[in-house]
Amino acid sequence: MSTANLRRHLHETRNRPAGINNRRDVQRDRYLLLLKRWIGGAVLAPACLVTAITLIMMLWRAVSRMDFLKSEEFIFFTFGGIVWAVAYLAGVRPVTAYVFGHELSHLMTARMFGGRIFDWKVSAEGGYVETDKSNTWITLAPYLIPFYTLIIMLVFGLVGLALDMQQSHDVHLLKWTVHLKPMRFLYALVGLTWCFHATYTVKTVIAEQGDLKRNGEFFSMMLIFLINAFLLIALFLASSPAPGLGFMEVARCWWSVASGMVGWLWHLVF
């Protein structure tokens, strides 16, 4: 037995009462899995549909009524996404970088929930985190959290404490002077890293990763879609050129779509 597995075994032995009936744990896990299936179908699936329609409506309004497509935020975010798409189609596969962010997301979330980390490993072939804590948020964290996007935003947030991110700065390169605005780099890197996150999230979901099976594949996919849709809405709000568009407007739009769907179903059934 490896040192890491020995530590985990000793921890479980110390914290598990003697003679415990493991079948009770199995029954509890089956009950939770069944409950998650019902939540996925009755709550998350309708919420995903309403959120998707809300996001489409917001984007349509932005494109038709605002100068959203001409905004600096959209242009550089899209540029970053295109850079990632070109690199991916050219054969660039930063698998180790993805596995590192994937496993670190597991690790950090487990620590947030008070879990102990026995061992963790990252390689191009895969990785793992050994911990004594497991729940929905820990197992699905890599699919819900765009790890590198958060790192980029944190770094630029710290830089913004000492540097005006909206102001152009002159950078002298040999005989040329280049005018650089730090916020443009932020938008481009957010676009690149978010598309990186979305690409490998889709690839991993298609590959039927074990993290999804632990919580039920349908429940996991609904939760992943919902959280990422809300993330897109948050990015949209941050980059929107309309000063009046905020969280309350999105909430009103979401509620309008939801109530309209409920009313349509009510008239259809009754």
Side-chain angles (χ1 to χ4, degrees):
M1 182 180 292
S2 67
T3 304
N5 288 334
L6 179 60
R7 288 198 303 267
R8 183 172 58 178
H9 174 73
L10 292 175
H11 176 83
E12 291 176 351
T13 302
R14 287 192 298 266
N15 290 277
R16 175 172 294 183
I20 188 170
N21 185 359
N22 291 330
R23 184 170 179 80
R24 191 175 302 168
D25 295 339
V26 173
Q27 291 175 346
R28 183 196 62 186
D29 292 341
R30 288 177 180 173
Y31 171 77
L32 289 176
L33 189 60
L34 180 62
L35 179 62
K36 287 178 180 179
R37 287 176 183 172
W38 279 100
I39 293 175
V43 179
L44 294 183
C48 286
L49 180 59
V50 173
T51 304
I53 295 174
T54 301
L55 180 59
I56 293 172
M57 290 177 61
M58 289 173 51
L59 290 174
W60 176 252
R61 290 176 184 176
V63 170
S64 59
R65 301 179 186 179
M66 310 173 194
D67 293 328
F68 182 66
L69 297 180
K70 299 178 182 178
S71 67
E72 195 173 73
E73 295 86 349
F74 177 80
I75 291 173
F76 284 94
F77 180 91
T78 304
F79 174 75
I82 292 174
V83 169
W84 165 249
V86 171
Y88 186 81
L89 293 175
V92 177
R93 299 291 189 274
V95 177
T96 304
Y98 171 74
V99 174
F100 175 80
H102 184 105
E103 301 304 337
L104 199 57
S105 297
H106 281 311
L107 188 151
M108 294 173 63
T109 311
R111 290 293 297 158
M112 288 175 59
F113 281 94
R116 292 181 58 189
I117 307 301
F118 300 109
D119 191 20
W120 70 299
K121 181 182 178 181
V122 170
S123 69
E125 289 73 33
Y128 63 83
V129 173
E130 292 185 351
T131 178
D132 62 345
K133 190 70 116 177
S134 180
N135 59 34
T136 300
W137 303 109
I138 294 173
T139 54
L140 297 182
Y143 314 98
L144 309 178
I145 302 172
F147 179 79
Y148 290 104
T149 302
L150 293 182
I151 295 298
I152 291 297
M153 296 177 71
L154 177 62
V155 170
F156 274 81
L158 294 175
V159 173
L161 297 176
L163 187 69
D164 187 351
M165 304 289 285
Q166 293 287 357
Q167 183 179 356
S168 295
H169 300 272
D170 295 336
V171 177
H172 302 285
L173 300 173
L174 299 177
K175 298 180 180 180
W176 298 277
T177 300
V178 181
H179 305 285
L180 299 178
K181 184 184 289 188
M183 286 301 291
R184 293 175 177 174
F185 286 97
L186 172 62
Y187 303 143
L189 289 173
V190 167
L192 188 151
T193 54
W194 189 86
C195 290
F196 168 79
H197 162 76
T199 299
Y200 277 98
T201 295
V202 172
K203 283 175 63 68
T204 308
V205 168
I206 292 175
E208 298 184 355
Q209 229 269 358
D211 294 334
L212 276 64
K213 293 183 179 179
R214 292 190 188 98
N215 297 284
E217 293 183 5
F218 182 74
F219 172 87
S220 299
M221 288 189 291
M222 292 297 100
L223 185 61
I224 290 169
F225 178 87
L226 186 63
I227 298 298
N228 280 279
F230 279 130
L231 175 62
L232 273 179
I233 291 175
L235 291 174
F236 172 79
L237 292 178
S239 62
S240 174
L245 185 60
F247 174 78
M248 293 305 300
E249 180 63 25
V250 174
R252 282 193 291 269
C253 182
W254 194 95
W255 181 254
S256 176
V257 172
S259 58
M261 290 181 60
V262 171
W264 178 79
L265 288 174
W266 177 267
H267 289 296
L268 182 65
V269 174
F270 298 100

